[in-house]
Amino acid sequence: MTEVLLLAGTRKGLVIARSQDGRSRWQVEPMRFMMNAVYGVGIDTRRATPRLFASADSEHWGPSVFRSDDLGATWTEPESAPVRFPERTGEALRRVWQIQPGAESEPDVVYAGSEPSALFRSADGGTTFELVEALWDHPHRSQWGAGFGGQAIHTVLPHPTDPQRVTVAMSTGGVYRTADGGSSWAPANKGIAAEFMPDPFPEFGQCVHKVTSHRDRPDRMYAQNHGGVYRTDDGGGSWQPIEDGLPTNFGFPMVVHPHRPDTIFLFPVISGGERIPPGGACRVWRSDDAGASWQSFGEGLQQEGYHSVVLRDAMCADTADPAGVYFGSRNGELYASRDEGESWQLLARNLPDVLSLRALVL
Amino acid sequence: MRIAVVVPGALRQFTAGESRIELDVPADATVGTVLQTLAADRPTLHRRIQDEAGGLRRHVNVFVGDTNVRDAELLDTPVRAGVDITVLPSVSGG
């Protein structure tokens, strides 16, 4: 491990932090894309030099997707809008929430999840994206609602070895999956509760906050729902609750350990009505047995009077061993752990709200 | 006729620092026509002003002379030779 790069998208721009000494000391660089909300950051490691992505959204000048092929030193955008709705939709892109490289076998495929809820696929490394028409034309789409943060596809999980299979998630609408390369899509929410609907277990309409999976065991996925924490072992065919042992079943991020598919990280908050950690204690919760049991860690974190929250994409892990785990909060703090979530070091404070986080080991 | 689009400082990163973009447009051009010409000539600049569905971005104001097109005929507002079209961000945000 010579260098670790942390990309933090915030409400007012992109912050890059670098560590060159095994994640002990960090250099936080000046903010880029000032006054742009960076909802999504992505890292494509399938290239000789990793390609970085940032979706930057200006209230004045609209959204775009930028990329860097020199590890963040310079950023460019294509001359033509990289992500745009076709004319026949009558829609305009509001923002890109997720940028996700595809399977290893398709090194030029990159996905983008957008607001309004749509999936885009690039076949040229993220230069141009095409709307995945069948998902846009899905008969359920008119009934997808808007979560508190907007109506967006915030999670895209390409199957690591089968390029025909992709899972997406949105608030509110739930989880959908394709097994035929995007030609058809079906809801995959069986077992996930929707406490805000007359039928508590509808076919779709769930407010799924985040879904994650591990490349070694892709049919096992974990979901943090709006009131519910779940696991599926059959690629989304059915979901089972795994919230016993957690202080609450509400929260936003859900991160899987890079090397251990049974280890997952959460940041629970009290409820939709009280979005602060239980007892005002900032704690990360970890399960090492796929959700059968949980333990919490708070060393280095504020243990009383903490009123912030970690948003759905503002927690991530790196691929070092031991893995680094990171989170950013809405009160503009960035934390890193070098011992798999058990103790935490403050990297930066007084940033704008942290919206998205990805780490890269060079 | 020749029309100038005056670009605010925040957008000059997309014009290599130029503050005025001169365009050739038909004699009966409207603001919409000018923006379409700009889209072909400077696509990266244009999409900061108008989205892909043709709407003016919500917090962007376009003036023909001293007239905000939102107070006139929006994209159908006629333009005349010698009158600048000025793009400005509205005062908003926090």
mmCIF file of all heavy atoms in Angstrom, chain A residues 294-339:
data_model
loop_
_atom_site.group_PDB
_atom_site.id
_atom_site.type_symbol
_atom_site.label_atom_id
_atom_site.label_comp_id
_atom_site.label_asym_id
_atom_site.label_seq_id
_atom_site.Cartn_x
_atom_site.Cartn_y
_atom_site.Cartn_z
ATOM 1 N N TRP A 294 -24.595 -8.435 16.125
ATOM 2 C CA TRP A 294 -24.025 -7.114 15.867
ATOM 3 C C TRP A 294 -23.231 -6.626 17.062
ATOM 4 O O TRP A 294 -23.568 -6.946 18.199
ATOM 5 C CB TRP A 294 -25.158 -6.107 15.591
ATOM 6 C CG TRP A 294 -25.931 -6.402 14.342
ATOM 7 C CD1 TRP A 294 -27.052 -7.186 14.249
ATOM 8 C CD2 TRP A 294 -25.644 -5.930 13.028
ATOM 9 N NE1 TRP A 294 -27.482 -7.224 12.940
ATOM 10 C CE2 TRP A 294 -26.638 -6.466 12.174
ATOM 11 C CE3 TRP A 294 -24.658 -5.117 12.481
ATOM 12 C CZ2 TRP A 294 -26.661 -6.210 10.801
ATOM 13 C CZ3 TRP A 294 -24.675 -4.845 11.119
ATOM 14 C CH2 TRP A 294 -25.669 -5.390 10.295
ATOM 15 N N GLN A 295 -22.218 -5.847 16.792
ATOM 16 C CA GLN A 295 -21.525 -5.134 17.866
ATOM 17 C C GLN A 295 -21.236 -3.719 17.390
ATOM 18 O O GLN A 295 -21.156 -3.467 16.181
ATOM 19 C CB GLN A 295 -20.248 -5.847 18.286
ATOM 20 C CG GLN A 295 -19.297 -6.155 17.163
ATOM 21 C CD GLN A 295 -18.140 -7.024 17.633
ATOM 22 O OE1 GLN A 295 -17.685 -6.939 18.761
ATOM 23 N NE2 GLN A 295 -17.648 -7.884 16.745
ATOM 24 N N SER A 296 -21.099 -2.806 18.359
ATOM 25 C CA SER A 296 -20.899 -1.412 17.988
ATOM 26 C C SER A 296 -19.546 -0.911 18.470
ATOM 27 O O SER A 296 -18.988 -1.423 19.440
ATOM 28 C CB SER A 296 -22.007 -0.543 18.583
ATOM 29 O OG SER A 296 -21.867 -0.412 19.976
ATOM 30 N N PHE A 297 -19.046 0.071 17.761
ATOM 31 C CA PHE A 297 -17.731 0.638 18.050
ATOM 32 C C PHE A 297 -17.814 2.158 17.997
ATOM 33 O O PHE A 297 -18.384 2.708 17.050
ATOM 34 C CB PHE A 297 -16.703 0.144 17.029
ATOM 35 C CG PHE A 297 -16.604 -1.355 16.962
ATOM 36 C CD1 PHE A 297 -17.249 -2.059 15.957
ATOM 37 C CD2 PHE A 297 -15.899 -2.058 17.917
ATOM 38 C CE1 PHE A 297 -17.161 -3.438 15.898
ATOM 39 C CE2 PHE A 297 -15.810 -3.441 17.869
ATOM 40 C CZ PHE A 297 -16.450 -4.147 16.849
ATOM 41 N N GLY A 298 -17.211 2.795 18.978
ATOM 42 C CA GLY A 298 -17.275 4.242 19.007
ATOM 43 C C GLY A 298 -15.977 4.909 19.419
ATOM 44 O O GLY A 298 -15.941 6.137 19.578
ATOM 45 N N GLU A 299 -14.884 4.132 19.573
ATOM 46 C CA GLU A 299 -13.624 4.744 20.021
ATOM 47 C C GLU A 299 -13.169 5.789 19.012
ATOM 48 O O GLU A 299 -13.060 5.512 17.813
ATOM 49 C CB GLU A 299 -12.547 3.668 20.186
ATOM 50 C CG GLU A 299 -11.259 4.225 20.766
ATOM 51 C CD GLU A 299 -10.171 3.150 20.882
ATOM 52 O OE1 GLU A 299 -10.515 1.950 20.937
ATOM 53 O OE2 GLU A 299 -8.992 3.540 20.891
ATOM 54 N N GLY A 300 -12.950 6.971 19.508
ATOM 55 C CA GLY A 300 -12.548 8.066 18.637
ATOM 56 C C GLY A 300 -13.713 8.886 18.120
ATOM 57 O O GLY A 300 -13.507 9.907 17.458
ATOM 58 N N LEU A 301 -14.936 8.437 18.427
ATOM 59 C CA LEU A 301 -16.128 9.150 17.968
ATOM 60 C C LEU A 301 -16.831 9.791 19.159
ATOM 61 O O LEU A 301 -16.723 9.307 20.295
ATOM 62 C CB LEU A 301 -17.087 8.178 17.259
ATOM 63 C CG LEU A 301 -16.501 7.412 16.068
ATOM 64 C CD1 LEU A 301 -17.518 6.391 15.548
ATOM 65 C CD2 LEU A 301 -16.104 8.373 14.951
ATOM 66 N N GLN A 302 -17.592 10.836 18.880
ATOM 67 C CA GLN A 302 -18.296 11.570 19.931
ATOM 68 C C GLN A 302 -19.412 10.700 20.520
ATOM 69 O O GLN A 302 -20.269 10.215 19.773
ATOM 70 C CB GLN A 302 -18.870 12.856 19.324
ATOM 71 C CG GLN A 302 -19.464 13.812 20.326
ATOM 72 C CD GLN A 302 -19.912 15.102 19.656
ATOM 73 O OE1 GLN A 302 -19.258 15.591 18.743
ATOM 74 N NE2 GLN A 302 -21.031 15.639 20.103
ATOM 75 N N GLN A 303 -19.398 10.535 21.827
ATOM 76 C CA GLN A 303 -20.320 9.582 22.448
ATOM 77 C C GLN A 303 -21.493 10.214 23.187
ATOM 78 O O GLN A 303 -22.262 9.517 23.864
ATOM 79 C CB GLN A 303 -19.546 8.637 23.369
ATOM 80 C CG GLN A 303 -18.622 7.706 22.592
ATOM 81 C CD GLN A 303 -19.354 6.910 21.516
ATOM 82 O OE1 GLN A 303 -20.241 6.117 21.823
ATOM 83 N NE2 GLN A 303 -19.024 7.149 20.241
ATOM 84 N N GLU A 304 -21.616 11.507 23.082
ATOM 85 C CA GLU A 304 -22.835 12.138 23.610
ATOM 86 C C GLU A 304 -23.112 13.419 22.832
ATOM 87 O O GLU A 304 -22.193 14.063 22.316
ATOM 88 C CB GLU A 304 -22.726 12.422 25.110
ATOM 89 C CG GLU A 304 -21.569 13.308 25.507
ATOM 90 C CD GLU A 304 -21.500 13.496 27.032
ATOM 91 O OE1 GLU A 304 -22.084 12.660 27.752
ATOM 92 O OE2 GLU A 304 -20.882 14.465 27.466
ATOM 93 N N GLY A 305 -24.378 13.726 22.745
ATOM 94 C CA GLY A 305 -24.783 14.974 22.093
ATOM 95 C C GLY A 305 -24.499 15.012 20.603
ATOM 96 O O GLY A 305 -24.352 16.086 20.020
ATOM 97 N N TYR A 306 -24.437 13.849 19.990
ATOM 98 C CA TYR A 306 -24.130 13.816 18.546
ATOM 99 C C TYR A 306 -25.450 13.862 17.769
ATOM 100 O O TYR A 306 -26.319 13.000 17.942
ATOM 101 C CB TYR A 306 -23.359 12.539 18.213
ATOM 102 C CG TYR A 306 -22.735 12.549 16.826
ATOM 103 C CD1 TYR A 306 -21.543 13.219 16.594
ATOM 104 C CD2 TYR A 306 -23.353 11.895 15.772
ATOM 105 C CE1 TYR A 306 -20.969 13.228 15.348
ATOM 106 C CE2 TYR A 306 -22.782 11.899 14.503
ATOM 107 C CZ TYR A 306 -21.587 12.569 14.304
ATOM 108 O OH TYR A 306 -21.020 12.583 13.055
ATOM 109 N N HIS A 307 -25.586 14.842 16.888
ATOM 110 C CA HIS A 307 -26.874 15.032 16.211
ATOM 111 C C HIS A 307 -26.781 14.867 14.704
ATOM 112 O O HIS A 307 -27.699 15.240 13.975
ATOM 113 C CB HIS A 307 -27.434 16.424 16.535
ATOM 114 C CG HIS A 307 -27.852 16.573 17.961
ATOM 115 N ND1 HIS A 307 -27.015 17.055 18.941
ATOM 116 C CD2 HIS A 307 -29.003 16.238 18.591
ATOM 117 C CE1 HIS A 307 -27.644 17.040 20.102
ATOM 118 N NE2 HIS A 307 -28.852 16.545 19.918
ATOM 119 N N SER A 308 -25.702 14.306 14.225
ATOM 120 C CA SER A 308 -25.567 14.198 12.775
ATOM 121 C C SER A 308 -25.967 12.794 12.308
ATOM 122 O O SER A 308 -26.363 11.934 13.093
ATOM 123 C CB SER A 308 -24.136 14.533 12.357
ATOM 124 O OG SER A 308 -24.099 14.747 10.964
ATOM 125 N N VAL A 309 -25.850 12.583 11.013
ATOM 126 C CA VAL A 309 -26.254 11.320 10.407
ATOM 127 C C VAL A 309 -25.298 11.046 9.244
ATOM 128 O O VAL A 309 -24.661 11.965 8.723
ATOM 129 C CB VAL A 309 -27.728 11.425 9.932
ATOM 130 C CG1 VAL A 309 -27.872 12.415 8.786
ATOM 131 C CG2 VAL A 309 -28.287 10.075 9.529
ATOM 132 N N VAL A 310 -25.182 9.792 8.887
ATOM 133 C CA VAL A 310 -24.361 9.409 7.738
ATOM 134 C C VAL A 310 -25.306 9.041 6.599
ATOM 135 O O VAL A 310 -26.159 8.163 6.770
ATOM 136 C CB VAL A 310 -23.429 8.231 8.086
ATOM 137 C CG1 VAL A 310 -22.617 7.808 6.872
ATOM 138 C CG2 VAL A 310 -22.508 8.616 9.237
ATOM 139 N N LEU A 311 -25.167 9.713 5.491
ATOM 140 C CA LEU A 311 -26.078 9.497 4.363
ATOM 141 C C LEU A 311 -25.740 8.200 3.628
ATOM 142 O O LEU A 311 -24.712 7.574 3.859
ATOM 143 C CB LEU A 311 -26.039 10.700 3.418
ATOM 144 C CG LEU A 311 -26.569 12.001 4.037
ATOM 145 C CD1 LEU A 311 -26.442 13.160 3.048
ATOM 146 C CD2 LEU A 311 -28.021 11.839 4.476
ATOM 147 N N ARG A 312 -26.604 7.820 2.697
ATOM 148 C CA ARG A 312 -26.585 6.450 2.153
ATOM 149 C C ARG A 312 -25.293 6.091 1.438
ATOM 150 O O ARG A 312 -24.873 4.945 1.441
ATOM 151 C CB ARG A 312 -27.779 6.269 1.204
ATOM 152 C CG ARG A 312 -27.653 7.007 -0.097
ATOM 153 C CD ARG A 312 -28.897 6.827 -0.952
ATOM 154 N NE ARG A 312 -29.961 7.737 -0.607
ATOM 155 C CZ ARG A 312 -31.139 7.392 -0.111
ATOM 156 N NH1 ARG A 312 -31.426 6.154 0.103
ATOM 157 N NH2 ARG A 312 -32.038 8.300 0.187
ATOM 158 N N ASP A 313 -24.656 7.038 0.827
ATOM 159 C CA ASP A 313 -23.448 6.713 0.066
ATOM 160 C C ASP A 313 -22.199 7.278 0.716
ATOM 161 O O ASP A 313 -21.144 7.325 0.081
ATOM 162 C CB ASP A 313 -23.574 7.253 -1.359
ATOM 163 C CG ASP A 313 -23.218 6.195 -2.392
ATOM 164 O OD1 ASP A 313 -22.944 5.050 -1.998
ATOM 165 O OD2 ASP A 313 -23.202 6.526 -3.588
ATOM 166 N N ALA A 314 -22.331 7.716 1.975
ATOM 167 C CA ALA A 314 -21.219 8.398 2.638
ATOM 168 C C ALA A 314 -20.450 7.474 3.570
ATOM 169 O O ALA A 314 -19.859 7.916 4.553
ATOM 170 C CB ALA A 314 -21.723 9.631 3.379
ATOM 171 N N MET A 315 -20.474 6.177 3.286
ATOM 172 C CA MET A 315 -19.649 5.227 4.019
ATOM 173 C C MET A 315 -19.057 4.266 2.997
ATOM 174 O O MET A 315 -19.722 3.909 2.016
ATOM 175 C CB MET A 315 -20.476 4.462 5.056
ATOM 176 C CG MET A 315 -19.669 3.501 5.902
ATOM 177 S SD MET A 315 -20.705 2.541 7.058
ATOM 178 C CE MET A 315 -20.759 3.636 8.446
ATOM 179 N N CYS A 316 -17.799 3.886 3.185
ATOM 180 C CA CYS A 316 -17.183 2.969 2.223
ATOM 181 C C CYS A 316 -16.012 2.266 2.906
ATOM 182 O O CYS A 316 -15.650 2.578 4.041
ATOM 183 C CB CYS A 316 -16.708 3.723 0.972
ATOM 184 S SG CYS A 316 -15.249 4.742 1.221
ATOM 185 N N ALA A 317 -15.449 1.316 2.180
ATOM 186 C CA ALA A 317 -14.262 0.610 2.674
ATOM 187 C C ALA A 317 -13.220 0.603 1.571
ATOM 188 O O ALA A 317 -13.558 0.685 0.388
ATOM 189 C CB ALA A 317 -14.628 -0.815 3.076
ATOM 190 N N ASP A 318 -11.951 0.495 1.959
ATOM 191 C CA ASP A 318 -10.922 0.310 0.934
ATOM 192 C C ASP A 318 -10.570 -1.179 0.848
ATOM 193 O O ASP A 318 -11.153 -2.011 1.546
ATOM 194 C CB ASP A 318 -9.710 1.214 1.185
ATOM 195 C CG ASP A 318 -8.898 0.819 2.417
ATOM 196 O OD1 ASP A 318 -8.892 -0.374 2.769
ATOM 197 O OD2 ASP A 318 -8.249 1.706 3.001
ATOM 198 N N THR A 319 -9.631 -1.525 -0.007
ATOM 199 C CA THR A 319 -9.351 -2.943 -0.253
ATOM 200 C C THR A 319 -8.054 -3.414 0.399
ATOM 201 O O THR A 319 -7.565 -4.499 0.100
ATOM 202 C CB THR A 319 -9.267 -3.205 -1.772
ATOM 203 O OG1 THR A 319 -8.269 -2.325 -2.319
ATOM 204 C CG2 THR A 319 -10.598 -2.967 -2.447
ATOM 205 N N ALA A 320 -7.490 -2.598 1.279
ATOM 206 C CA ALA A 320 -6.260 -3.016 1.960
ATOM 207 C C ALA A 320 -6.585 -4.110 2.981
ATOM 208 O O ALA A 320 -7.743 -4.433 3.237
ATOM 209 C CB ALA A 320 -5.616 -1.811 2.647
ATOM 210 N N ASP A 321 -5.548 -4.694 3.552
ATOM 211 C CA ASP A 321 -5.727 -5.715 4.575
ATOM 212 C C ASP A 321 -4.819 -5.375 5.760
ATOM 213 O O ASP A 321 -3.612 -5.453 5.613
ATOM 214 C CB ASP A 321 -5.397 -7.093 4.014
ATOM 215 C CG ASP A 321 -5.801 -8.206 4.967
ATOM 216 O OD1 ASP A 321 -6.504 -7.908 5.962
ATOM 217 O OD2 ASP A 321 -5.422 -9.356 4.719
ATOM 218 N N PRO A 322 -5.366 -4.964 6.906
ATOM 219 C CA PRO A 322 -6.788 -4.863 7.201
ATOM 220 C C PRO A 322 -7.448 -3.732 6.430
ATOM 221 O O PRO A 322 -6.788 -2.735 6.086
ATOM 222 C CB PRO A 322 -6.825 -4.591 8.706
ATOM 223 C CG PRO A 322 -5.504 -3.951 8.997
ATOM 224 C CD PRO A 322 -4.524 -4.568 8.056
ATOM 225 N N ALA A 323 -8.733 -3.920 6.179
ATOM 226 C CA ALA A 323 -9.455 -2.938 5.381
ATOM 227 C C ALA A 323 -9.591 -1.615 6.126
ATOM 228 O O ALA A 323 -9.737 -1.593 7.345
ATOM 229 C CB ALA A 323 -10.843 -3.479 5.045
ATOM 230 N N GLY A 324 -9.553 -0.540 5.382
ATOM 231 C CA GLY A 324 -9.909 0.758 5.937
ATOM 232 C C GLY A 324 -11.399 0.966 5.755
ATOM 233 O O GLY A 324 -11.970 0.562 4.746
ATOM 234 N N VAL A 325 -12.013 1.556 6.751
ATOM 235 C CA VAL A 325 -13.438 1.889 6.665
ATOM 236 C C VAL A 325 -13.550 3.391 6.892
ATOM 237 O O VAL A 325 -12.791 3.962 7.687
ATOM 238 C CB VAL A 325 -14.273 1.118 7.709
ATOM 239 C CG1 VAL A 325 -15.761 1.318 7.467
ATOM 240 C CG2 VAL A 325 -13.923 -0.373 7.667
ATOM 241 N N TYR A 326 -14.473 4.014 6.176
ATOM 242 C CA TYR A 326 -14.569 5.474 6.177
ATOM 243 C C TYR A 326 -16.031 5.888 6.267
ATOM 244 O O TYR A 326 -16.905 5.210 5.720
ATOM 245 C CB TYR A 326 -13.971 6.054 4.888
ATOM 246 C CG TYR A 326 -12.569 5.579 4.608
ATOM 247 C CD1 TYR A 326 -12.341 4.380 3.922
ATOM 248 C CD2 TYR A 326 -11.470 6.300 5.059
ATOM 249 C CE1 TYR A 326 -11.060 3.919 3.686
ATOM 250 C CE2 TYR A 326 -10.174 5.857 4.823
ATOM 251 C CZ TYR A 326 -9.972 4.666 4.131
ATOM 252 O OH TYR A 326 -8.697 4.220 3.909
ATOM 253 N N PHE A 327 -16.278 6.999 6.934
ATOM 254 C CA PHE A 327 -17.599 7.605 6.780
ATOM 255 C C PHE A 327 -17.483 9.118 6.854
ATOM 256 O O PHE A 327 -16.535 9.669 7.419
ATOM 257 C CB PHE A 327 -18.627 7.042 7.790
ATOM 258 C CG PHE A 327 -18.461 7.488 9.224
ATOM 259 C CD1 PHE A 327 -18.977 8.692 9.656
ATOM 260 C CD2 PHE A 327 -17.811 6.669 10.143
ATOM 261 C CE1 PHE A 327 -18.853 9.093 10.978
ATOM 262 C CE2 PHE A 327 -17.675 7.058 11.466
ATOM 263 C CZ PHE A 327 -18.195 8.276 11.881
ATOM 264 N N GLY A 328 -18.465 9.763 6.247
ATOM 265 C CA GLY A 328 -18.585 11.212 6.315
ATOM 266 C C GLY A 328 -19.982 11.542 6.804
ATOM 267 O O GLY A 328 -20.937 10.815 6.517
ATOM 268 N N SER A 329 -20.107 12.613 7.552
ATOM 269 C CA SER A 329 -21.385 12.926 8.180
ATOM 270 C C SER A 329 -21.991 14.186 7.570
ATOM 271 O O SER A 329 -21.323 14.942 6.862
ATOM 272 C CB SER A 329 -21.188 13.125 9.682
ATOM 273 O OG SER A 329 -20.262 14.176 9.881
ATOM 274 N N ARG A 330 -23.240 14.409 7.923
ATOM 275 C CA ARG A 330 -23.898 15.625 7.437
ATOM 276 C C ARG A 330 -23.363 16.863 8.123
ATOM 277 O O ARG A 330 -23.629 17.977 7.661
ATOM 278 C CB ARG A 330 -25.406 15.536 7.640
ATOM 279 C CG ARG A 330 -26.078 14.588 6.677
ATOM 280 C CD ARG A 330 -27.524 14.961 6.441
ATOM 281 N NE ARG A 330 -27.623 16.172 5.618
ATOM 282 C CZ ARG A 330 -28.745 16.703 5.241
ATOM 283 N NH1 ARG A 330 -29.875 16.158 5.596
ATOM 284 N NH2 ARG A 330 -28.760 17.796 4.498
ATOM 285 N N ASN A 331 -22.642 16.700 9.214
ATOM 286 C CA ASN A 331 -22.029 17.886 9.822
ATOM 287 C C ASN A 331 -20.590 18.086 9.338
ATOM 288 O O ASN A 331 -19.834 18.836 9.931
ATOM 289 C CB ASN A 331 -22.111 17.848 11.350
ATOM 290 C CG ASN A 331 -21.305 16.717 11.946
ATOM 291 O OD1 ASN A 331 -20.824 15.855 11.219
ATOM 292 N ND2 ASN A 331 -21.142 16.710 13.256
ATOM 293 N N GLY A 332 -20.233 17.424 8.253
ATOM 294 C CA GLY A 332 -18.987 17.741 7.589
ATOM 295 C C GLY A 332 -17.740 17.160 8.209
ATOM 296 O O GLY A 332 -16.650 17.712 8.069
ATOM 297 N N GLU A 333 -17.882 16.021 8.880
ATOM 298 C CA GLU A 333 -16.702 15.351 9.421
ATOM 299 C C GLU A 333 -16.401 14.118 8.574
ATOM 300 O O GLU A 333 -17.306 13.424 8.125
ATOM 301 C CB GLU A 333 -16.948 14.910 10.871
ATOM 302 C CG GLU A 333 -17.091 16.078 11.836
ATOM 303 C CD GLU A 333 -17.557 15.624 13.212
ATOM 304 O OE1 GLU A 333 -18.123 14.515 13.318
ATOM 305 O OE2 GLU A 333 -17.368 16.395 14.162
ATOM 306 N N LEU A 334 -15.106 13.869 8.393
ATOM 307 C CA LEU A 334 -14.650 12.653 7.718
ATOM 308 C C LEU A 334 -13.872 11.829 8.721
ATOM 309 O O LEU A 334 -12.936 12.340 9.358
ATOM 310 C CB LEU A 334 -13.700 13.002 6.561
ATOM 311 C CG LEU A 334 -14.259 13.316 5.180
ATOM 312 C CD1 LEU A 334 -13.089 13.565 4.230
ATOM 313 C CD2 LEU A 334 -15.143 12.192 4.661
ATOM 314 N N TYR A 335 -14.244 10.553 8.855
ATOM 315 C CA TYR A 335 -13.555 9.651 9.771
ATOM 316 C C TYR A 335 -13.010 8.441 9.019
ATOM 317 O O TYR A 335 -13.611 7.985 8.044
ATOM 318 C CB TYR A 335 -14.505 9.152 10.855
ATOM 319 C CG TYR A 335 -14.743 10.157 11.966
ATOM 320 C CD1 TYR A 335 -15.845 10.991 11.930
ATOM 321 C CD2 TYR A 335 -13.865 10.261 13.026
ATOM 322 C CE1 TYR A 335 -16.080 11.916 12.946
ATOM 323 C CE2 TYR A 335 -14.083 11.184 14.048
ATOM 324 C CZ TYR A 335 -15.186 12.006 13.994
ATOM 325 O OH TYR A 335 -15.394 12.919 15.001
ATOM 326 N N ALA A 336 -11.896 7.916 9.517
ATOM 327 C CA ALA A 336 -11.309 6.702 8.944
ATOM 328 C C ALA A 336 -10.961 5.736 10.064
ATOM 329 O O ALA A 336 -10.586 6.142 11.167
ATOM 330 C CB ALA A 336 -10.038 7.050 8.169
ATOM 331 N N SER A 337 -11.099 4.457 9.750
ATOM 332 C CA SER A 337 -10.713 3.402 10.688
ATOM 333 C C SER A 337 -9.701 2.498 10.009
ATOM 334 O O SER A 337 -9.902 2.066 8.871
ATOM 335 C CB SER A 337 -11.938 2.581 11.101
ATOM 336 O OG SER A 337 -11.527 1.431 11.826
ATOM 337 N N ARG A 338 -8.604 2.180 10.717
ATOM 338 C CA ARG A 338 -7.597 1.252 10.177
ATOM 339 C C ARG A 338 -7.736 -0.138 10.781
ATOM 340 O O ARG A 338 -6.945 -1.026 10.468
ATOM 341 C CB ARG A 338 -6.189 1.792 10.452
ATOM 342 C CG ARG A 338 -5.841 2.990 9.599
ATOM 343 C CD ARG A 338 -4.382 3.358 9.778
ATOM 344 N NE ARG A 338 -4.116 3.838 11.131
ATOM 345 C CZ ARG A 338 -2.902 3.998 11.647
ATOM 346 N NH1 ARG A 338 -1.839 3.661 10.938
ATOM 347 N NH2 ARG A 338 -2.736 4.473 12.864
ATOM 348 N N ASP A 339 -8.708 -0.299 11.677
ATOM 349 C CA ASP A 339 -8.862 -1.605 12.325
ATOM 350 C C ASP A 339 -10.285 -2.126 12.136
ATOM 351 O O ASP A 339 -10.906 -2.604 13.068
ATOM 352 C CB ASP A 339 -8.462 -1.530 13.798
ATOM 353 C CG ASP A 339 -9.214 -0.424 14.531
ATOM 354 O OD1 ASP A 339 -10.167 0.148 13.962
ATOM 355 O OD2 ASP A 339 -8.855 -0.124 15.682
#
